Amino acid sequence: MAATTKDEMTVFQKARMSATAAVIGGTLHGLIELPIVVPIEAAITQTQLNAKTFYWNFSNLVKTRQLYRALFTTAVGLIPKCWIHYAWLNLYIHYFVPSGDLKKATKQQSIMTGVATGASEVAFMTPFNLVKFRMQRPEWGYKNMFDCISRIYKEEGASAYWKGTHAVFWRNSICMLGMVGFYNTIAESLPENTTAKPAVAGASCGIVGSFMSYPFEMLRAARQHNVSFYDEMLMQGPKRLLAGYLPGAFRIVMHSMALGYIIPQMKNFGQVFEKKKE
């Protein structure tokens, strides 16, 4: 076997560092979000589909003891989901940003990283998200996650796991464009003495990303729950089309704040791991 060259070893080390950073960053992100995400997402899903207020849906889920209906499903998939998210993100940071540091990226490099990351997650994430969103709605009558998976396959076919893929593609790409593509621009515009600057920049990017992508989020909800987007959402006016937007934006802001803290540390995660192996 030919000896490994220095350049080949560098590429291998970068790949290993990326994977390590994805696991560490994804696990931290998943643990931070899980306790809060489940009830918020459940009420948002109901709001998107029945057009009642978020407060009404949240209260109703509490009364009927269905607020954490999707807890197990979310717990099973959230950390692996974050691994995939950070794996793609870190891959594209190294691909588009020569330094491997998003803080040093140009505006174009940041935008390309955000769009590519959001788009690349779609094939992996859509089936998991479909099951999670279906479990959030008691109206479907699924007994548990396994019953949900089984019934979707029997009643709608294997292709059903990828319902709304095109909407998820545009939603993810546009949302990540806002959350990652504008991060440096917003961070640099903040005063140097800004408290918790990464969180503030991340939250601001979350607001931008959620607003830009929300119509596609509603299209995703309609497709994955077998509802007519045109008749029941789009033609009902802006208020109906934006049902659940504010709590949805809060949800994405939380996600983006976590990104704001974790992204700058991802390179360090991998480097620390490599040093320990030497």
Side-chain angles (χ1 to χ4, degrees):
M1 181 180 294
T4 304
T5 67
K6 183 177 180 180
D7 288 342
E8 290 173 336
M9 180 62 71
T10 300
V11 171
F12 172 73
Q13 288 175 337
K14 283 185 177 180
R16 187 166 62 186
M17 286 169 59
S18 294
T20 304
V23 170
I24 297 174
T27 301
L28 288 174
H29 196 162
L31 292 174
I32 291 169
E33 284 198 353
L34 183 61
I36 306 171
V37 162
V38 175
I40 292 176
E41 279 196 344
I44 290 172
T45 295
Q46 293 293 78
T47 302
Q48 289 172 335
L49 293 161
N50 64 24
K52 295 181 181 179
T53 67
F54 175 82
Y55 177 78
W56 187 93
N57 280 303
F58 192 94
S59 300
N60 187 59
L61 288 170
V62 171
K63 291 176 184 177
T64 56
R65 299 182 180 180
Q66 300 288 341
L67 192 61
Y68 282 89
R69 177 180 175 80
L71 176 62
F72 179 72
T73 307
T74 306
V76 167
L78 184 58
I79 291 178
K81 172 182 174 181
C82 288
W83 289 353
I84 294 171
H85 174 79
Y86 281 105
W88 282 117
L89 177 59
N90 215 26
L91 171 67
Y92 288 122
I93 288 175
H94 283 288
Y95 183 78
F96 289 119
V97 185
S99 66
D101 187 347
L102 196 60
K103 286 184 177 180
K104 299 177 182 178
T106 65
K107 182 69 173 291
Q108 182 180 6
Q109 291 168 349
S110 297
I111 289 174
M112 292 171 69
T113 298
V115 172
T117 300
S120 297
E121 295 175 357
V122 174
F124 297 95
M125 307 306 297
T126 301
F128 162 74
N129 283 330
L130 174 75
V131 174
K132 180 185 71 172
F133 289 130
R134 287 285 185 92
M135 282 298 298
Q136 288 171 349
R137 293 212 81 202
E139 289 85 348
W140 282 103
Y142 300 126
K143 297 177 182 177
N144 50 52
M145 181 183 74
F146 304 105
D147 180 52
C148 177
I149 294 171
S150 176
R151 280 182 52 189
I152 289 173
Y153 178 77
K154 291 177 182 177
E155 298 170 8
E156 303 175 55
S159 62
Y161 296 118
W162 281 270
K163 280 187 175 181
T165 298
H166 65 296
V168 177
F169 171 84
W170 288 110
R171 183 263 185 192
N172 283 13
S173 299
I174 294 172
C175 192
M176 286 300 294
L177 166 64
M179 290 198 294
V180 176
F182 292 97
Y183 179 82
N184 282 347
T185 301
I186 292 176
E188 290 169 4
S189 68
L190 296 172
E192 287 298 324
N193 60 349
T194 300
T195 303
K197 191 172 182 178
V200 174
S204 301
C205 290
I207 294 171
V208 173
S210 63
F211 182 77
M212 292 168 59
S213 64
Y214 201 73
F216 293 100
E217 167 65 9
M218 291 296 283
L219 177 60
R220 189 271 319 153
R223 293 288 186 268
Q224 293 189 337
H225 291 277
N226 300 339
V227 170
S228 171
F229 173 75
Y230 182 80
D231 293 330
E232 299 192 28
M233 294 180 180
L234 185 61
M235 295 306 294
Q236 302 303 314
K239 184 177 180 180
R240 177 69 184 92
L241 192 60
L242 291 173
Y245 166 70
L246 289 179
F250 175 73
R251 159 77 178 88
I252 292 179
V253 164
M254 287 179 51
H255 180 84
S256 196
M257 286 176 68
L259 284 176
Y261 273 115
I262 294 173
I263 286 177
Q265 301 302 321
M266 289 183 69
K267 189 174 181 180
N268 295 335
F269 291 156
Q271 289 176 340
V272 169
F273 179 79
E274 287 297 321
K275 287 180 182 179
K276 287 185 177 180
K277 294 200 66 169
E278 291 176 355

